[in-house]
Amino acid sequence: MSSGEKTNEYGYIEILEDDMKFLKDVNTYNSDYSKKLVMQNFVIQQCVSSQELNDKLEVIMKKLNLKSIESLSQFGILYDTSKNQLYNNKPEEEIYIQNDDGEIYAFDKHPKRRIELKKFENNIIIVDKKQLLRTINDKNEIREIFQIIEKENYLLI
């Protein structure tokens, strides 16, 4: 191995005792405490569509007088769009189900399938409050940015 880590006879990386203690400590943290820390330090807003996300980002860019969407990260403003499917019938990723009559069907062709095969996307904006406060001194401007982000179905005007 090029990373210099020690491995056991099975090829698994050996974890040092201090690292194992750290991992156990991390595992014992209360999830409510973690949520509280996230809520104190970040604003997370879900958008109903990628269009709404893009509209909000454009308005924020104009407000901050930015030329590129990548420069939003300097202000602690991050975004993500993930496209998902409930079932993706790709070769070697098929799901097969045996019917009551003993026949085997691919999930998308099963005659008794009850759920619709959907595609959906998640669009979110994440703001690091501390980074935003470090980069913008005007409290009113910060308040306006949060209003843009948190407003439901914000449309670009």
Side-chain angles (χ1 to χ4, degrees):
M1 272 182 117
S2 61
S3 62
E5 294 144 336
K6 290 185 178 182
T7 57
N8 63 17
E9 66 269 18
Y10 303 107
Y12 297 115
I13 296 172
E14 290 184 5
I15 300 175
L16 299 173
E17 189 175 327
D18 289 344
D19 293 340
M20 185 58 79
K21 182 184 176 321
F22 172 75
L23 292 172
K24 285 180 181 177
D25 288 346
V26 167
N27 193 35
T28 60
Y29 278 115
N30 183 333
S31 65
D32 290 337
Y33 177 71
S34 298
K35 287 178 190 174
K36 184 179 174 185
L37 280 176
V38 168
M39 305 259 315
Q40 284 176 351
N41 295 299
F42 298 94
V43 169
I44 302 171
Q45 179 67 38
Q46 187 167 6
C47 301
V48 295
S49 68
S50 56
Q51 184 61 48
E52 180 188 355
L53 172 70
N54 291 332
D55 291 346
K56 287 183 179 187
L57 294 175
E58 280 187 42
V59 172
I60 293 168
M61 284 174 44
K62 285 181 184 176
K63 176 150 252 359
L64 297 174
N65 199 24
L66 301 174
K67 303 276 188 259
S68 72
I69 200 162
E70 292 82 18
S71 54
L72 286 170
S73 63
Q74 294 173 248
F75 294 87
I77 301 171
L78 307 170
Y79 57 93
D80 184 56
T81 295
S82 62
K83 297 181 187 255
N84 304 293
Q85 288 181 235
L86 288 179
Y87 177 68
N88 193 359
N89 191 12
K90 289 183 181 176
E92 298 184 24
E93 292 184 17
E94 303 94 343
I95 297 174
Y96 294 98
I97 301 172
Q98 186 172 10
N99 198 6
D100 298 338
D101 60 7
E103 293 293 317
I104 297 175
Y105 298 92
F107 180 71
D108 59 329
K109 299 200 176 23
H110 196 282
K112 292 185 178 181
R113 186 183 74 237
R114 292 188 195 127
I115 61 171
E116 189 115 359
L117 301 179
K118 297 181 194 175
K119 293 182 180 181
F120 59 96
E121 61 183 26
N122 295 313
N123 302 285
I124 60 170
I125 299 175
I126 302 169
V127 180
D128 180 340
K129 293 178 187 177
K130 291 183 179 183
Q131 179 65 24
L132 191 63
L133 289 169
R134 279 192 293 268
T135 53
I136 299 175
N137 295 325
D138 185 357
K139 301 284 186 203
N140 287 327
E141 192 172 16
I142 292 172
R143 193 175 2 260
E144 289 172 6
I145 289 171
F146 282 127
Q147 286 173 347
I148 293 167
I149 290 169
E150 293 174 345
K151 186 169 183 176
E152 294 284 327
N153 300 320
Y154 190 89
L155 297 175
L156 183 63
I157 299 173

